């Protein structure tokens, strides 16, 4: 549900109906609706179509959490802050800023972020069904990135659009870095000083 709210916020900033329509496929996949090409690609990677068809991404994420033994519904304040600040960027920035944040600063880095996590999940012996969320995001997000990149190209035709794309991207990347720093501190239980 979380990414869908990010996606719809960004779509609401887009004035061009063609741009909004280009992101509609992403919304459908977030809800568990895939085309034959994506299902074939996932099946080739060991993901049975029944594991993803009609299964929203938040459910796939919960499946991963459960397999990892992550329990509880408590959300750390740092996560809440990241989510709220990112949503403000998407909801109140210009169209170019929203696309810079969601496309260049988020979808553009997801595969590279999730690839080592998927490798670790494989080494940990997680069943392919349990790691579907990670596999999915390392394989079939390419066309989402391409759609957002095409929209970014259109919005970059003016100096203001180019500036706002960069601003949105930088905001998203800074928020993501702070989020991952929080996760590292939590994993290390505050026992080290990363900044030395």
């Amino acid at each position: 549900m979380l990414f869908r709210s990010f996606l719809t916020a960004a779509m609401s900033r887009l004035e061009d109906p063609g741009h909004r329509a280009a992101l509609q496929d992403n919304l459908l996949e977030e809800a568990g609706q895939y085309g034959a090409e994506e299902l074939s690609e996932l099946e080739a990677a060991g993901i049975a179509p029944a594991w993803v068809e009609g299964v929203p991404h938040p459910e796939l994420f919960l499946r991963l959490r459960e397999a990892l033994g992550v329990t509880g519904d408590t959300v750390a304040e740092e996560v809440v802050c990241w989510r709220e600040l990112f949503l403000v960027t998407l909801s109140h920035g210009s169209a170019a800023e929203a696309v810079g944040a969601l496309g260049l600063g988020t979808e553009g880095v997801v595969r590279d972020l999730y690839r080592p996590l998927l490798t670790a999940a494989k080494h940990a012996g997680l069943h392919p069904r349990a790691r579907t969320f990670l596999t999915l995001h390392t394989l079939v997000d390419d066309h989402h990135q391409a759609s957002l990149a095409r929209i970014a190209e259109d919005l970059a035709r003016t100096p203001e659009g180019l500036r706002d794309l960069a601003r949105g991207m930088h905001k998203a990347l800074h928020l993501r870095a702070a989020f991952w720093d929080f996760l590292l501190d939590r994993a290390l239980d505050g026992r080290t000083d990363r900044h030395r």
Side-chain angles (χ1 to χ4, degrees):
M1 193 74 167
L2 183 59
F3 189 77
R4 284 178 60 87
S5 65
F6 293 158
L7 189 56
T8 55
M11 289 172 72
S12 75
R13 305 304 297 157
L14 300 174
E15 296 174 10
D16 185 321
H19 291 165
R20 286 193 301 275
L23 299 184
Q24 189 63 35
D25 283 345
N26 199 339
L27 271 178
L28 293 174
E29 282 189 16
E30 287 293 318
Q33 297 177 34
Y34 303 91
E37 184 180 326
E38 288 88 8
L39 290 173
S40 176
E41 189 176 358
L42 288 169
E43 198 163 18
I47 303 299
W51 296 348
V52 295
E53 286 185 298
V55 182
H57 285 197
E59 287 184 37
L60 296 175
F61 183 70
L62 287 175
R63 185 188 298 164
L64 174 65
R65 281 184 52 181
E66 289 170 4
L68 292 170
V70 177
T71 59
D73 291 330
T74 304
V75 178
E77 188 61 31
E78 289 83 356
V79 176
V80 173
C81 288
W82 167 79
R83 180 176 58 209
E84 290 176 357
L85 289 170
F86 190 60
L87 195 55
V88 165
T89 297
L90 296 173
S91 301
H92 299 291
S94 68
E97 191 172 343
V99 170
L102 187 69
L104 305 175
T106 301
E107 288 278 14
V109 300
V110 164
R111 181 181 49 210
D112 293 328
L113 282 173
Y114 283 7
R115 194 173 284 144
L117 298 175
L118 178 59
T119 300
K122 288 178 181 178
H123 286 306
L126 255 60
H127 188 276
R129 183 178 184 274
R131 60 181 193 246
T132 298
F133 180 84
L134 296 172
T135 305
L136 182 72
H137 287 86
T138 59
L139 290 179
V140 300
D141 269 7
D142 288 353
H143 65 278
H144 299 309
Q145 294 171 11
S147 293
L148 283 157
R150 283 190 297 275
I151 296 169
E153 286 176 24
D154 287 348
L155 297 173
R157 294 174 197 236
T158 66
E160 180 182 0
L162 191 59
R163 183 198 67 227
D164 285 357
L165 280 165
R167 178 182 294 136
M169 178 187 68
H170 286 121
K171 284 181 180 181
L173 291 173
H174 287 298
L175 287 169
R176 187 172 294 276
F179 175 73
W180 284 96
D181 284 349
F182 157 72
L183 291 178
L184 177 62
D185 281 344
R186 187 167 153 179
L188 297 175
D189 200 25
R191 291 174 290 188
T192 185
D193 182 3
R194 290 186 329 277
H195 304 291
R196 281 190 213 176

